[in-house]
Amino acid sequence: MLAFIAAEIPRLFTIYNVILLAKAAVTTLSLSAVGCVVGLLCGTLLTLARMSRRRSLWPLKALAFLYIEIMRRIPFLVTLMTFYFGAQVLGFNFSPLEIAFVSTSVISTAFVAEIVRTGLQAVKASQIEAAEVMNFSVWQSFWLVRLPQAWPIILPPVFGYFVLFIKDTALASQAGVLELTQAAKILNTKGFSASLVYATVLLLYFVISYPLARLGGHLEKRLGTARHSRSRRTV
Amino acid sequence: MAQLDIRGLVARYNDTTVLDGIDLAIDRGEIVSLIGPSGSGKSTLLRVISGLLRPVKGTVSLAGETIDYGDRRSLRRARNRLAIVFQQYNLFGNMNVLRNVMVTPVTIKKRDRREVEAEARTLLEKVGLGDKLNAYPDELSGGQQQRVAIARALCLKPEILLLDEVTSALDPERVGEVLDTIKLLAAEHMTLLIVSHEMAFVRDVSHRVAFMAEGTIQELGTPEQIFDAPRIARTRTFVSRILGHRTAA
Amino acid sequence: MHYVLHYGQITPYIPYLLGGVLISLALSILSFAGGMVLGLVFAILRNEGGAAASRFVRGYVAFFTNTPQLVQIYVIYFGLPDFGILFTPFMAVLIGMTLNAAGYLTEILRAGLASVHAQELDAAETLNMSRLQTLRHVILPHLFRVTMPALTNQYILMMLGTSMAAIFGVEELTGRAFNINSTTFRSIEVFTTVAAIYVVVTFLATILLALFSRWAFRARVPVI
Ligand SMILES: Nc1ncnc2c1ncn2[C@@H]1O[C@H](COP(=O)(O)OP(=O)(O)O)[C@@H](O)[C@H]1O
Ligand SMILES: [Mg+2]
């Protein structure tokens, strides 16, 4: 059996198939990346709503809280299928890729919001008070003081989440998105052995994810020691 | 008319009353020092004046205008006239020394950048930090950070300057420099409210001294009166303990 | 575009869906238990085994935490038959989830084991405890006390992960949602109902695990 599968290998790695896999790998990466970038933007907005001290904003605060707590308790596959079938039922003509981008963004917003909240809250209250007594507006103290101090705390775990999320995007194959897992299914239907194509794709995921995970750990160590964003001058 | 007029001020943290009826009027150009045991509410008084803690009773007036702490416009006007140097300095950790001093005049008060930079450099030179303009707060000693905080406050050109434990982290040789700076401010008719444990410094610069304990001003008088002839026993005990401690050290 | 939601059409299926919850729970609990056993063995091997054992565990963890669980199950369910090894969908998913969980749980437990202090072990030695007694009375209670929040989190993620069993035809909660969807075509109603069930179930699980940790290990686990 092994010899039989080994004989398939040269046939599997034709230019055409390699391009298919490379394109699929790019889609896999971009699904997670888009999710995280949108998550960073929307998650920050949600967190700001949630942390706001203005009384009149309470409905927004409650919504932000519920969104974050609820979305983190729904399987990605279920969210994806809700959008996938929901778009069909409502008659929207979205491509599978668009559906997947929306789903990854909706989910990662909730997870990244929690990371952003932890980072923003790690900035000492006394820093914000110092800005406040010097007449910084809420926005000015956010942009000039809180965010610049929070981002070195926020970025490493967001990157970590991005790496974790790469693996979850395998589920996008269920909506017909041509990412790595779907590429494996396609190659399988073209007659390649299931064991060969899925093992190949498994390896590809590893080759993508492992160095990024290591890089994330490295990033965490480096940004963790330097509290300010500019390079440290030796005095 | 007093420049800073505090009447019947009461403030609480949760359920504990920290300021229990403070009355204090400070004239323009006057220097008043607050002394008292730790936990007596000195920092809290400065926090209430600068609007970081809403008083539950009483009023604070600046140049005749009572601050309405519930009204953003009123609070903004008051904060434009005062500056505070915190006990923990609270320099912005993401900005270097020069930017810490310049950010408010340039970004918030919209003053001319070059003009502000020249002033900031002069001020930092004056407090002995001309060579640390590009350093970040976490690269400085406590005393250095405190001097940056003083420069930052002065660059705001406040009418009233609130200083919390201002000499506590300074090296002895720097105390003199900071002292001179503060005396210069007095000559320019800046109104100062200073919290300090440095009795020689307090005696030297203050026009009046207030002794605080348990959230009230127990005794208020000239430095001579408070240090040499306190009227109440509590002041006498505190002053003699502090003076004894200082000479021993 | 005009679409009226009809949750009424879903209500008759609620007992059917709740039956699916039981299968999801079975999958998550069994794979968590299996993952814990493997993870504990791996964590001990990693910390105290020889160089080869340690290298094996590191490789295992790196591999299983850097590849998707879905593709791991694909290999087991579709790939192994090439070698004559066949599993039912439920077994394939259970094995995949267990092996995957073992990777993550090894990391959690290893960090927990590393935090058992030398003093505690010294104390156990002076009390003349055997190795097994030390494990039972000193190491394990400490281990669970410090790792319970991370373990709870991992269990919740695994509960959500059981939904991919539907892809292999297991009729757990999501699988049953697919079934109802294909007969009623009430997609939005079906999937939002199922989403709500996941939210409620994982929330209850968090509370139960928090209470259990408090009672059994005096460990504080945040509920939200
Ligand atoms: N953020 C706070 N929350 C609750 N209590 C506080 C807080 N800050 C200060 N206090 C209490 O208020 C009292 C006065 O504190 P403070 O004004 O800092 O005293 P001082 O500056 O005279 O040493 C102390 O008993 C202190 O414990
Ligand atoms: Mg104080």
Side-chain angles (χ1 to χ4, degrees), chain A residues 4-48:
Chain A
F4 186 72
I5 290 170
E8 285 180 20
I9 292 179
R11 238 178 355 108
L12 178 61
F13 291 103
T14 56
I15 292 288
Y16 179 82
N17 287 345
V18 168
I19 290 176
L20 175 79
L21 285 171
K23 276 189 178 165
V26 170
T27 306
T28 287
L29 274 173
S30 56
L31 278 173
S32 186
V34 167
C36 284
V37 170
V38 174
L40 209 46
L41 292 175
C42 299
T44 305
L45 290 180
L46 270 188
T47 305
L48 288 181

Side-chain angles (χ1 to χ4, degrees), chain B residues 13-14 16-19 36-45 47 87 164-165 195 197 212:
Chain B
Y13 279 120
N14 305 320
T16 42
T17 302
V18 179
L19 297 180
S38 92
S40 56
K42 306 179 296 294
S43 296
T44 305
L45 178 57
R47 286 175 64 82
Q87 193 169 351
D164 201 352
E165 308 264 336
V195 174
H197 282 139
M212 263 185 90

